[in-house]
Each structure stands twice: as structure tokens, then as C-alpha cells.
Amino acid sequence: MRFDEAYSGNVFIKSHPNFEESKAVLYGMPMDWTVSYRPGSRFGPARIREVSIGLEEYSAYLDRELDDVKYFDAGDIPLPFGNPQRSLDIIEDFVDKVLAEDKFPLGMGGEHLVSWPVMKAVYKKYPDLAIIHMDAHTDLREEYEGEPLSHSTPIRKIADLIGPSNVYSFGIRSGMKEEFDWAKRVGMHISKFDVHQPLKEILPKLAGRPVYVTIDIDVLDPAHAPGTGTVDAGGITSRELLASIHEIARSDVKVVGADLVEVAPVYDNSEQTANTASKLIREMLLGWVK
Amino acid sequence: MRFDEAYSGNVFIKSHPNFEESKAVLYGMPMDWTVSYRPGSRFGPARIREVSIGLEEYSAYLDRELDDVKYFDAGDIPLPFGNPQRSLDIIEDFVDKVLAEDKFPLGMGGEHLVSWPVMKAVYKKYPDLAIIHMDAHTDLREEYEGEPLSHSTPIRKIADLIGPSNVYSFGIRSGMKEEFDWAKRVGMHISKFDVHQPLKEILPKLAGRPVYVTIDIDVLDPAHAPGTGTVDAGGITSRELLASIHEIARSDVKVVGADLVEVAPVYDNSEQTANTASKLIREMLLGWVK
Amino acid sequence: MRFDEAYSGNVFIKSHPNFEESKAVLYGMPMDWTVSYRPGSRFGPARIREVSIGLEEYSAYLDRELDDVKYFDAGDIPLPFGNPQRSLDIIEDFVDKVLAEDKFPLGMGGEHLVSWPVMKAVYKKYPDLAIIHMDAHTDLREEYEGEPLSHSTPIRKIADLIGPSNVYSFGIRSGMKEEFDWAKRVGMHISKFDVHQPLKEILPKLAGRPVYVTIDIDVLDPAHAPGTGTVDAGGITSRELLASIHEIARSDVKVVGADLVEVAPVYDNSEQTANTASKLIREMLLGWVK
Amino acid sequence: MRFDEAYSGNVFIKSHPNFEESKAVLYGMPMDWTVSYRPGSRFGPARIREVSIGLEEYSAYLDRELDDVKYFDAGDIPLPFGNPQRSLDIIEDFVDKVLAEDKFPLGMGGEHLVSWPVMKAVYKKYPDLAIIHMDAHTDLREEYEGEPLSHSTPIRKIADLIGPSNVYSFGIRSGMKEEFDWAKRVGMHISKFDVHQPLKEILPKLAGRPVYVTIDIDVLDPAHAPGTGTVDAGGITSRELLASIHEIARSDVKVVGADLVEVAPVYDNSEQTANTASKLIREMLLGWVK
Amino acid sequence: MRFDEAYSGNVFIKSHPNFEESKAVLYGMPMDWTVSYRPGSRFGPARIREVSIGLEEYSAYLDRELDDVKYFDAGDIPLPFGNPQRSLDIIEDFVDKVLAEDKFPLGMGGEHLVSWPVMKAVYKKYPDLAIIHMDAHTDLREEYEGEPLSHSTPIRKIADLIGPSNVYSFGIRSGMKEEFDWAKRVGMHISKFDVHQPLKEILPKLAGRPVYVTIDIDVLDPAHAPGTGTVDAGGITSRELLASIHEIARSDVKVVGADLVEVAPVYDNSEQTANTASKLIREMLLGWVK
Amino acid sequence: MRFDEAYSGNVFIKSHPNFEESKAVLYGMPMDWTVSYRPGSRFGPARIREVSIGLEEYSAYLDRELDDVKYFDAGDIPLPFGNPQRSLDIIEDFVDKVLAEDKFPLGMGGEHLVSWPVMKAVYKKYPDLAIIHMDAHTDLREEYEGEPLSHSTPIRKIADLIGPSNVYSFGIRSGMKEEFDWAKRVGMHISKFDVHQPLKEILPKLAGRPVYVTIDIDVLDPAHAPGTGTVDAGGITSRELLASIHEIARSDVKVVGADLVEVAPVYDNSEQTANTASKLIREMLLGWVK
Ligand SMILES: [Mn+2]
Ligand SMILES: [Mn+2]
Ligand SMILES: [Mn+2]
Ligand SMILES: [Mn+2]
Ligand SMILES: [Mn+2]
Ligand SMILES: [Mn+2]
Ligand SMILES: [Mn+2]
Ligand SMILES: [Mn+2]
Ligand SMILES: [Mn+2]
Ligand SMILES: [Mn+2]
Ligand SMILES: [Mn+2]
Ligand SMILES: [Mn+2]
């Protein structure tokens, strides 16, 4: 007596009802308690699912349909409000299980700090892991006003764990001078302002390696993603971001997990940000889950 | 590997996973294609579920908890866009099945026309049915600009079917002169402007009878429900509507089905209308499903 | 080849196409350049017309239909942006002409200062004029930061012209101490907080007199009229305002002109304020134009 | 006593008061009852007119003024809510009359299905008609969930009527695999993603032919047109769309009619979409009506 | 060369530039990291200050002017994002200092948890302290999903500290059954639904005692305060809340501190909630600081 | 006892507390009374300051930090509502004083007319002044509907004062034919549509000259700046505007003052326009104040 869930907006469109048979697992990480500016990304994953019913099931870019890849939508991980550490532990735990079943973890944020435990979990499985990071911000702080758990720190944390030379940031247009200096000093790659062109140059160097891709929706210009916590002018278009996803799909890297974070619906009455995010998730699924 | 659905916002909070064991069935009727003014109520049911996670599970009014009543949330009935007749047939079919299983149908609209097939179905089961109708509008038109299927006609249709003297409207503040005249002529009850006080007087007359209650959210003043298609100043407060629901709960009528319609989230950025609707649904469940 | 304008939203619903045959003339005064807080009321009149298509043509309060009173909608008076004095002169000119034709002037603002030239014009015709003023604010300032032309001054100006004892304010909840003191000193009537009850007491004293009624939409509580420049908590309900309009309709005063001002649509995405204003205009037409 | 309508926002700015003397006829088709996602485009035409008062009357692109072309604004065609077939018949009828008077029909939607009866009417007059279609979506479905009358079908319907090889789609980025396959199979032209460049290549082939241009505002990226039913990331800029309109204006095709559809104001509080649409209408008038 | 700050919106209107000479200290507590539903109240205090420029400086209720009471606006206390415990400690520290200078602490939230350290600090100074709490919610939880620091716990914490019989809650309409049961069992006072009437009855019992008043803006009906995290239908009007503040002002209790919390501007595009809050702050200043 | 103002949102982030020691003075000109379309820019400067707390203090474009340039934020100049002439006089007076102290005036509007008295003041100090003007609109009218003080006239006024050949407009896409003709006739430079490329060509010609730069935010496409009075499709990206600011910074002109005008927050719920404006202000400070 329950209507077909695949088109209900309760799960991402066409998601598979069965975990075991699925190749990828979609999950939400509804946490926004460490953000320094505008909160609200806790509601991102639910809204992305809801608007996914407006998507076509076919990608005219990749000539592939959602029927071609089985993915399970696990829903939003219940997280304890206001407790960053416990939240991160719960996320890591969940991703450990997803990886143990050899499934592709595809996460939706939530603030960017949620990527930290995910990347940690992925690194445990893939010791030669590289990170591709698309963002307006460096996210390389060690702490924010005394707090080591902050949405401005996840890339620093993973760089410290896997070595800065394995981390590649793209589209960066904001950060502290200290962050840029640190990156240069320790040999971490940062492409300022652009994503597609520098990515094209970097990808061959990563050929054959397992790669985790973390996309902060604010890498898009505010025109294309007003619904996020920290909008920052001068970003890329959704067209460039789509092209970048397709570039990775066509490359020789092996994407082993990914996320899309920082969608905060309340700042976007038109819901274009959530709609764009749902299209990006579709392209990530169709392009990266093989 | 799926997180507990009861608190996900995908189903109404704490709804029971099992249809068979449930006493009531909650379902959405996401149709808004015949409205004469502002569309958007197709998204009402989904938003009501989503915000229901902000509800307490206990009613301080009725001293009863959601755990005390088992209800199944069937989701939104898939309806063919732009085809009123087929949509109404599908709704009637569904409610027939719910009633055949002796479960309490609790519908969420969608435009008010969706109540028509539901009331028809309920009437088939309960021939001595009475209707309690709360609305800003008479909804007694025979047609709207030539269309007999219009959101301004459901009460006329049910009155024609079960006899106007079995229909009781409350809170009415808008309609054509012809509608008020017709009601008077045929002996249908209309209480203008108020709901609670006249309801108190009418309920004893309906003691023991099966009653279907249809609530158009626009019976509330626009201050309390800006998120609806046709806002109309001079309405009642949410406090009066809550008191009216409780009055019915305490009365000797036997509520055999109910609905809450015309919630159109896009006109209410604060989401107070959907939040209020979710509280009303909780009180209807706790007060009327016995 | 032009579709029926009466239901187009370009004119107030059902307005009569012919000026000469009409008893009342509806007109907009799209000026907001002297407001001290939030501008935007220049768009009030157009939006009130636009949403009037959602109105019923019949008043269930007054048992009268729009067909029973002929009114012409002259549109918005073109006013020179940023020039208060010239704007006021143009308004006065226009209203002089309306009154010369013995028609009932029904104005829509725009900021409250637009009422000043209208009241002046009406006073020229009716030397024994009384003013009924409903507002959250006293509007009795002589100037605002040095400017004698300000939306906070119209009631002071008319009081100075026709004598303070002929001015009756209702619903007032904000003003400078000096304004309240001045009113008391010069014998002007101010009813604080309430409208309907004090109006009931005052109306008999005004029996037989020509009365101009000026309603600032902010007399309503912000809950009922969020779309205005200066929202002020603690106001009356739309229900009380409707009752007050009806009270005047039933009284023995002779309403010779009226206005509804300060509707600023941009602060109300739900458009409840404009919808409420359009209902108020309908009731003013049906109740006061005889 | 009515103020100059040309700047009132009730008609498109500077529209001519006289039908007979006009070369073009502007009209609204306020229908949105078959849309599968977000309704609201019924209010598009009225809002486009309203904001047109913010337009300059001169095009700095075409060096032409609105005074150089006479157009009549007929207003919105009254359509029966919720009845697609009757609505389409009424539209076809109206356009038949416009064409019989040898005037250029310039329509504003409403959902895209309204273009179907218009194109049918134009085809009756111009049997060698070609269609230029700009859209994010193929709109080539035969039906949507069982309904042959759907906003996702108009291009298929016209292709079936005039032959697929006479239909040219541009900017397409979404559709079912079956739609793209069908187009390829039957020889219909689809340019994916881009508009201006492929248009430049196609236009010479259409030289001398009568062409109807139908523009779905969602061909624009959501950044440029958030106010539409189905936003879809990765679209073109308003600058490219303007250039495309100008490209057609400079070409040797004979534009015999056109429309701009799917503007849904409620999803865009900034009203940029309606403002952009009004500029597009101005450029279409100045560039295509000769 | 800096313009007069008193009317800048950077400080609460007319606040005194000098801390030492002031009787009261206004301060913001911009924390929202433990909320279980919609975040955003961190921006409440700044917005309340900003809109305070729209206030009259005179209270027509209390016949007192802002010039009659000197208050210093300290600004927002800088708090570490995402760290509840450190945030609470910083708040307590600050209030300790305010109290040490014998000034009246008037706080603006932020989520309700910020009241906990304030009340603790006040209790250290006034051991016979009583609490008056106005809220839609009991806020008596011991923890929320395992977290003892949650916006649903502050009243429980203070009740545990000063004894439940010293805590008086008003307007409560939501909570867990366990919370209501606990209150009854331990002798804490809860008035359900209403505020003014029960307050009138309780105040004489508190005569002469030092009282801290904590107001959660959601005690207002969502119609009057849509801009808050957890809207809950069936609340009181702003008029009743104003009357309640005035009732306390006229009573024989000695208000020794107060706060107004949970204003979340992003959910209220009309800014009525912030405007109402600023009026409430004015009345609290004029009524309670003696 | 006042918290550090530099991060409060009351002043632009990191602004210096001391006027005398500062090189630049930031000030708001909160006037919008002559605008012909949508008002609201009076609230622009305050909102730009408020959101500046979301900015990084370092520019990844210019490799310079806000600590490297001392600027004082004077707040908003108090202006008399509805009196353009007095407002302009007050602005001119203020800027005279800033210039007398040899500080760089950096203004925030407000409507574009506020630039007129500023440019006049700057011209008094720098008789060989050139103007760089970025805007969607020519702003070359002599009057608007009879009013010589209008937001559509400032560039004409300054051109008349300093000679049209000293005025360089960029990005222009709207205006009257007469304005473009006048510019051509009198030898004023207008670059249509683009900014960066033509600026690159013009800058060498201005080498060594004192230049005032006035930026109307509507030079940006509405996608990048929906929050402005007159949105006009077909504009430049924020990326191009940033590049243009940097181009000027690297050039040999001597920027002696600048402004950014027409930010109207109410039309942009996402606040992307104010956020973008605050980033632009940072880049203007870091790039032009030497
Ligand atoms: Mn990030
Ligand atoms: Mn970021
Ligand atoms: Mn109804
Ligand atoms: Mn209704
Ligand atoms: Mn007033
Ligand atoms: Mn007022
Ligand atoms: Mn289409
Ligand atoms: Mn489309
Ligand atoms: Mn609380
Ligand atoms: Mn609460
Ligand atoms: Mn300008
Ligand atoms: Mn401009």
C-alpha cells in the first residue's frame, strides 16, 4: 500500500530499494554546527532528494541512464545536534561499513567538516589515496577561533593525514594568506579561480590512482548557487562544474568515493541550488560509479 | 542500512511501518490543476511530512502521544498532471481500498476538489454520513467558468449526493450570493465567520452519526496560514481551529475520515503554514482516531 | 480584440469601464519618497488591483455585490519621483476633478503623506468635514528631521487645517510623547490600541456629518499586514478592521471619500497584505458608496 | 480620466492602443495545468507586462525604438482552469484571428504546451513553416504518465504535424534517451547545450523560409532565470540568448510568429526572470517584427 | 567624524555610549549550534538592533521615553562556533561582570540554551531568585539525543539549580509527556497556552522577590513571530505578550535581569519578528529597568 | 566593555577605529528617493557592512591583506528623507571634509544620484579629473519626467561639469537613443556591453591622471546582482568586474576616490548581492588605496 518510493522525493530519484544489490550508497550528513557564517546546510540532503523528482533520468552529457547504475539511498545519518566530535565519529563508522561492503560512498552535506571523517575512512581502505577538492575556500585552517573542529579545516586535516602532495584543490578564491603560504611550502596543489582547465592538466598525473572527490557547492559562483552558507563572488559556472565532473569521468583516475556539501536551501527561495545539486549528484553517479 | 524512517521527514513523524497493523492511513493527494487562483498545493503533503519532525510527539491538549495510535503513511498518490477526472478516479479507488480494510482515511491536499472522491467513497460505506466542512469559502459552485471539476465545487457535489441537510459548513466568509442563497433554500447549514462556537451548538445534533471532516487550511486567517492558494482576510486563529478539532474529539460524533487541504508551501517562506498543518494532522490523529 | 478588462487584474475587479456613469473613482497614488523607514508602497496600488481577481464579487458581510455599485478605476496617477511637493499638487488637482464631478474618491497609497492633498481637496468641498483616521501611528509630526513633507505628518496638517477637534484617530500605538501631548492639549481625539469599540462610541457624535476615512494598513498587526513600511506589533486583527468598516457603513455618518495607504508588497512574499487590502477596498466600496 | 496606459504596467510598455493599426499582437496564455513539476507560469504574462515599465524604450543592440514598431497588447486570453483541451482550442481560435488580420502573433506563456495550438495555427497559414525551438528540454514526449496533453510534448506534436526535419531545437540539455533517439532517427535537428553558435550555422539553410520561434525561458541557466517551473543547471547566459535573438533578426529567415514561455514569477523574489523576459520581448518585437 | 551611533542601527536605538553611566546592559548571544530543528538565531541580536531605528522612542503603553533610562549596548559576545560549553562559559563570565557592576543584564539570543549561564550568574547574586519563563516549549529535557547541552534543556537546568518550585512557565503548548509529568511531580509551575491571565494570578505570590524573566519569542503564535527556529501554532498574540510585560512592570516583583531569545531572521522576509522583538526590548527596558 | 567592533558587522570588517590615522574613509549614502523603479538602496551600505564579516581579510587576487591598508568606516551619513537637494548638499559637505584631510573617499550607495555631489567635490580638488563609470545604464538624462535630480542623471551632470571627453562609461546596455547620440556628439566615451576589454584599451590613455571610479552594481548581470533597483539582463559577470577592478589597480591611473552604488538588499533574499558588494569593496580598498 506504499506508493513507489523511487519517484517520491523521499529518496533520490530511481534509487534502488535494496542495499546489497547496489553499487553505490547515497547518504546525507545533516550537520551544520561548526559553520562560522550562515547555518542551514543540515537541510541540504533532504531538499536535494525532494527536488530530484524534477530530473530527467538520462544524462545527455554522458549518454547513460540512472537505470544503468544501482544505488541505494540510505537517508540522512542521525547526528547529535551541537556535538561535532560525536557526529564525525558516527559518520566515520557509517562510511566504514559502506566501504566494507565494497560500495561507492556518495555523501551529501551538511557543512564541509563532514568530509573529514569520510576521507579518513576512505584512506584506511586506499592508502595511496589522492584528494580532488573543488571549493571557493582553501579550508586549510588548523582551527577557527580556537576550535579545531570547524568547517574551515577539513582539507588541512586530510592533507596532514595523507600528505599535502596528495591533495589537489581547484577553484579556490578565498582563504587566509597563511593558508596559501602553507600550501605552497608543503607542496600541496592549489589552482586558483578555475577548475576545468587545471583539472585537465592534473588528471593525467593521477592516472590509475584511487581518488576521492569532495565538492563544496560554493565553488560555483553565487549566481549559480545562492543557497549556501558562504557565498563568494567570482566563481565558476554550473556548466564548468558539469564539464569538470565529466572530465574526471573520462579520465584514468579511479574515483572511489565522493561528496557534495554545503547546500543550504533556506538562502535560495527559487531552489535552483538544490536542483543544481541534484543534477550534479546524477552526473556523479552516472560518471563515476562504474 | 536505512536509517529509521519515523524521524526522517519522509513519512509523517512516528508513522507506523506496517499498513496492516495501522488504524489510520495518511496519504497525500498532490493535485492542484483546477485552482482558479494560485497553484502550488501539490507540494503541500510532502512539506507537511518534512516539517513534522519539528513536532513534539505528545499533545498537551489531548494528553495523548503518537505512540498511542498506529497510523501508516502511504505517501503521495501518483496523479496524472492536468487530468482532473482521472485523478479523482484514482483517489476514489485508493480510498475504497483503505475503507475496505476498515482503516481511517486521513488525507492531505492538494486542492479542495480532492475531497470530493474521498467523501464519495466514505459515503458508500456510511450512508448516514454527515459532513463537517471548515473553510473560508462556500465551495458550492456547480462549475467554474464552464468547468464542473473545480476546486470551488466539492461541497456542492457532496451536498447533491448525500443531501444538503447533511452538510455543515463553518467559518465561511466568501462565496457568491447564489451559493449562500442556494444553501439557505435547500437547508444546508452554513456558519459564517466563526467555527468553534457554532460547532459546539451543532455537534450534539450529530451525536452518534458517522462524520467526515474536511478542513480547508484557508479557514484560518492569512496571518495563520499565508501558504495557501486563496488567502482571505478575516479568518479564525489557529487556536480556534485547534479548539474546534478538540471539540469534535470530545463530542459524540464518530469521525470516520478526514482531510486537510490547500496547503501551498511556496507562498510561505517561513513555512509556518506547513508547520501548523503538521500540528493539526497530529491533533486530528490523536483526537479522532480511536 | 482586447479581453474583458474587469477580470484582468489591470483594474480593480469588476470596475466599470466608464468614468461618467460611475459613482466612485478608484485611483492609485504611487509615491513613497518621504518615508523614514522602508520604502516600496509605490507598488501597492498595482498589486492590490492584480490580486483583486482572487476576490469574490459578493460581500457575505454586507450582503451586497460589486454589481450594485459602479466604480471607475482610473489607474495610478503618474507622479514625479523624488519630488514630494509636485506630487502632492498633482494629487490634489486630480481629486479636485473627481469631486467636481460629484464622485466618491477612493484612493490607494503609497505612503500616508498622499492623504494630505486628498483631505485638503475634500475639505474645500465639505467645510464641516470630520476625519476618521485608523493607524498604528499618530502621524502628527510637524516635520521629520527638518522636512515638513513627511509620511509622519499628514494628520497634523489636516488637523491644523480643519481644526484638531474634527480629527479622530483610532488604533494608535506609536508616536512621540510630544504628539500625544499636543493632541490632548488641542482637543484632538485619539483612541489608543483599539478601533472597533471606540469607533462605536464616537460614530453617533458624528451623525450626519461628512466624513473622510483614511486607513493606514499598519493599523493592522504585522501578523495581518507584514507588507508595509513600518510594522508595529500589538495591532488589531483584520477581523476588527473589517468590523470597523462595517460599523461605519451602518452608522449615520456620510462618508464622502476614503483611502487605504502604506501597502508595500515587497515585504510580503505571500501577498497576504495586498489580498487583504483588496478585500478592504471591496468592503469600503460596498459599504460606503451609496 | 484614465491615465496613459502605455506606462501603466497593465499593458506591455508603449503598446499601441489600437489593434487595427498594429503590426504585432502581444497576448498572454495563462495556463499551467499540465506541468509535471512546479506550477505558476499562469502569472508569467501579467508580471512581464508589469515590470516592462522598467525597460528603456530603445534597444542599444538593434538601434531601434519601440516607437518604430506598432504592437497591440491584447491581454491574457481567459482560459478554463484545469481543462487543457478547451484551453488549447481557445488559444488556436485566437491566433487564427490574429493571423487572419495579417498580424504578427507574439505570445507569452504559461507552460510550453500553449505553443502547440499557436504553431498549428501558424502552420495552417504557412505550409512551408520551420520551427526554431530554444529550450533546456527536448519536449518530444508523446505523453506524460498517460497524458498526451503535457508541457513535455509540444515539440513532438508540431514535429509530427509539419515533419521532424522542419524542426530545429537549440540549447537542449535534458530529455529521455528515447527522445534524443527518436529525433536522430527521424531527422529532427537538435543542438545540445549551445544556442548561438549552432544557430549561426543553421540559419542560412532556412533563408527565405517562414519561421516560428518558440523560446522556453528555461533555456537560460537557472542563474539567469530562476523563476521557471523546471530549472536545469548548465544553461546559456541571457547574453547568449540576446545574441541569438539578434542573430535571427539579422538573418534571412522570415519570422512569422513567436513566443516566450514558462516564466513562473513566484520562484523568483527578485523578479529578475520577469525583467529579463520583458527585455527579451522588447528585442523580439524590435528585431523580428518588420 | 563618525555619525551619531544612537540612530545607526549598529546599537539599539538611543543606547548610551558609556557603560559606566548606564543602568542596563544590552548584549547579544549569537549562538545557535545545539538547536534540533532550524538554525539561524545567531543573527537575531544584530537584526533586532538594525530594525530598532524604526521604533518610536516613546512607549504609549508605559508613558515613558528611552531617554528616561540609560542603557549600554555591548554588542554581540564573540562565541566559538560549534562549541556549546565554551560558549556558555564565556557568556557566564560576561554576565558576572555586568552584575558585579550592579547593572541590569538584558540579553538577546541566540538559542534558548544561552539563558542557562545567564540565569546561573544571576542566581549567584540573588539566591532567592525566581524565574518567569514564557515559551511555547517546556524546555525541561535533561538531554536531547544524548546531548545535555541542548536548546530544549535550559529550564530544567535552572530548575535543578534553584529548585523547581521557583520556576514559573507560561504559554507552554509543547513538550514531552515526561516533561509535564516531571514538572507536576516536583512542583514546578506550568501555565499552558495562556500567559497574561495566569501571570496576573502568580505575580502577587512573587511580590518583593528578585525575578529573572526569560522570553522565548516562540511563545508568540507563528502569525506574530514566523522568524524563529521552531514555530508552533496556537500561541499568544504580540498584544498579549506586551500586556504581560506591562503586567510585570506594574507588579511588585523586582526584575533583576531578562532576555529575549530565538529570533531567527532568515525565516521571516518581512522582518516582522525582528521588529516585534525590538519593540519588546524597548518595553522591557522601559518597564523593568528602574 | 564593548566587544571588538572590527568583526561586529557594524563597521566594514577590520576597519580602523581612528579617523586620523586612516588613509581611506568608507561611508554610506542611504538615499533612494529619486529612483524611477524599485526603491530600497538606502539599506545597501548597512547590509554590505553586516555581511562583510563573511569575507576573508586576504585577497587571493592582489596578494594583499586588509591589515595593509588603514581605513575608517564613518557609518551612514544621515540624510533627510524625500529631500534630494538637501541630501546632496550634505554629502558634498562631508566629502569636502574627507578630501581636505587627504583621505581617499570610498562611498557606498544608495541610488546613483549620490555620486554626483561626491564627484563634484573630488573635481574641486582634482581639476584634471577623469571619470570611469561602470553601469548598465547611461545615466545621461538631463531630467526624468521633469525632475533634474534623478538617479538617471549623475553622469550627465558630471560630464557637463568636467567636460564629456573626460568621462568613460563601460558595460552600458540601456539608455535612451538621445543619450547615446548625445555622448557620441559631444565626444564622451561609451563602451557598450563589455567592461574589462575596453577598459584595458582606455587605461593607458589615462595614465598619470587622477580618476574617480563610480560603479553601479547593476553593471553586473542580474544573475550576479539580483538585489538592485533596475535589473537588466545581458550584463557582465562578477568575475569580469573583479578583473576590471584589478586592471585599474595595476594601471598607471591614480584612483583618488570611488563608490559602489545601487545595492538594494530587499530584492535578494540570498544576500548574494550584498556579499558580492562587500567583496568588491575589499578589492577596491586593497587595489586602489595606496
Ligand atoms: Mn569548503
Ligand atoms: Mn567553501
Ligand atoms: Mn475549499
Ligand atoms: Mn477555501
Ligand atoms: Mn500613517
Ligand atoms: Mn502608520
Ligand atoms: Mn519547454
Ligand atoms: Mn524547458
Ligand atoms: Mn525555549
Ligand atoms: Mn520555544
Ligand atoms: Mn547608474
Ligand atoms: Mn544602472
Side-chain angles (χ1 to χ4, degrees), chain B residues 32-40 42-43 79-84 86 144-147 266-267 269, chain D residues 32-40 42-43 79-84 86 144-147 266-267 269:
Chain B
D32 59 7
W33 19 103
T34 82
V35 303
S36 55
Y37 193 32
R38 307 189 305 185
R42 68 176 68 183
F43 296 115
L79 300 175
F81 306 109
N83 189 328
R86 253 184 76 206
Y144 194 92
E145 293 178 25
E147 296 302 317
V266 75
Y267 304 105
N269 292 154
Chain D
D32 60 6
W33 17 105
T34 81
V35 302
S36 55
Y37 191 31
R38 308 189 304 185
R42 68 176 68 184
F43 296 116
L79 300 175
F81 306 109
N83 189 327
R86 253 185 76 207
Y144 194 93
E145 294 179 23
E147 295 302 319
V266 76
Y267 304 105
N269 292 154

Side-chain angles (χ1 to χ4, degrees), chain F residues 7-194:
Chain F
Y7 299 97
S8 67
N10 293 337
V11 292
F12 196 81
I13 189 169
K14 295 276 290 182
S15 70
H16 198 68
N18 184 281
F19 174 82
E20 281 69 30
E21 297 173 10
S22 297
K23 268 189 159 162
V25 177
L26 195 66
Y27 53 96
M29 298 170 283
M31 160 174 166
D32 58 7
W33 19 102
T34 82
V35 302
S36 55
Y37 192 32
R38 308 188 305 186
S41 60
R42 68 176 68 182
F43 296 115
R47 196 55 54 93
I48 291 170
R49 283 184 196 98
E50 188 181 320
V51 302
S52 71
I53 57 165
L55 281 178
E56 293 287 343
E57 301 166 23
Y58 168 73
S59 167
Y61 304 86
L62 295 163
D63 190 23
R64 204 175 181 213
E65 291 180 291
L66 286 177
D67 272 341
D68 300 338
V69 53
K70 282 206 180 95
Y71 53 96
F72 178 77
D73 185 346
D76 278 10
I77 308 178
L79 300 175
F81 306 110
N83 189 328
Q85 190 54 62
R86 253 184 77 207
S87 301
L88 301 187
D89 293 346
I90 291 169
I91 292 170
E92 188 172 350
D93 243 48
F94 175 78
V95 178
D96 281 344
K97 281 177 209 144
V98 169
L99 291 168
E101 305 277 343
D102 271 324
K103 302 194 183 307
F104 185 105
L106 182 48
M108 298 184 287
E111 55 163 288
H112 212 159
L113 185 56
V114 299
S115 301
W116 160 229
V118 180
M119 295 187 290
K120 211 171 11 161
V122 172
Y123 177 60
K124 286 183 281 188
K125 180 161 184 181
Y126 300 99
D128 56 335
L129 185 69
I131 301 290
I132 290 180
H133 166 229
M134 306 180 192
D135 201 326
H137 306 92
T138 42
D139 288 357
L140 290 172
R141 295 195 185 214
E142 291 193 270
E143 48 82 27
Y144 194 92
E145 294 179 23
E147 295 302 319
L149 293 182
S150 160
H151 76 141
S152 58
T153 64
I155 304 307
R156 176 61 175 269
K157 289 189 197 312
I158 193 66
D160 283 345
L161 181 66
I162 72 171
S165 64
N166 295 309
V167 180
Y168 298 81
S169 290
F170 299 88
I172 308 299
R173 50 196 193 274
S174 282
M176 293 192 302
K177 186 173 173 34
E178 290 73 12
E179 294 175 270
F180 286 98
D181 289 351
W182 179 86
K184 185 170 287 178
R185 204 166 56 243
V186 301
M188 184 196 136
H189 175 90
I190 293 184
S191 283
K192 286 200 293 192
F193 314 131
D194 298 308

Side-chain angles (χ1 to χ4, degrees), chain C residues 75-246:
Chain C
D76 278 11
I77 308 178
L79 300 174
F81 306 109
N83 189 327
Q85 190 54 63
R86 253 184 77 206
S87 301
L88 300 187
D89 293 346
I90 291 169
I91 292 170
E92 187 171 351
D93 243 48
F94 175 78
V95 177
D96 280 344
K97 281 179 207 143
V98 169
L99 290 168
E101 304 277 343
D102 272 325
K103 302 194 183 307
F104 185 106
L106 182 47
M108 298 183 289
E111 56 163 288
H112 213 158
L113 185 57
V114 299
S115 301
W116 160 230
V118 180
M119 295 187 291
K120 209 170 14 160
V122 172
Y123 177 61
K124 287 184 280 188
K125 182 162 183 181
Y126 301 99
D128 56 336
L129 185 70
I131 301 290
I132 290 179
H133 166 230
M134 306 180 192
D135 202 326
H137 307 91
T138 42
D139 287 357
L140 290 171
R141 294 195 184 213
E142 292 194 89
E143 48 81 27
Y144 194 92
E145 294 178 23
E147 295 302 317
L149 294 182
S150 158
H151 76 141
S152 60
T153 64
I155 303 307
R156 176 60 176 269
K157 290 188 196 312
I158 193 65
D160 283 344
L161 180 66
I162 72 172
S165 63
N166 295 309
V167 179
Y168 298 81
S169 291
F170 299 89
I172 308 302
R173 51 196 191 273
S174 282
M176 294 191 302
K177 186 171 171 36
E178 290 74 12
E179 295 175 88
F180 287 97
D181 289 350
W182 179 86
K184 186 171 287 179
R185 203 166 57 244
V186 300
M188 185 196 135
H189 175 90
I190 292 183
S191 283
K192 286 200 292 192
F193 314 131
D194 297 307
V195 176
H196 190 194
Q197 197 48 43
L199 191 62
K200 239 174 172 163
E201 291 160 26
I202 297 288
L203 281 170
K205 302 186 196 165
L206 296 174
R209 282 186 66 180
V211 167
Y212 183 88
V213 187
T214 180
I215 304 178
D216 185 328
I217 195 81
D218 69 21
V219 72
L220 290 175
D221 191 88
H224 296 272
T228 191
T230 310
V231 287
D232 189 60
I236 66 169
T237 63
S238 61
R239 204 158 171 177
E240 180 170 350
L241 184 48
L242 285 164
S244 302
I245 290 172
H246 301 143

Side-chain angles (χ1 to χ4, degrees), chain E residues 141-172:
Chain E
R141 295 195 185 214
E142 292 193 87
E143 48 82 26
Y144 194 92
E145 295 179 22
E147 294 302 318
L149 293 182
S150 158
H151 76 141
S152 59
T153 64
I155 304 308
R156 175 62 175 269
K157 290 189 197 311
I158 192 65
D160 283 344
L161 180 66
I162 72 171
S165 63
N166 295 309
V167 180
Y168 298 81
S169 291
F170 300 88
I172 308 301

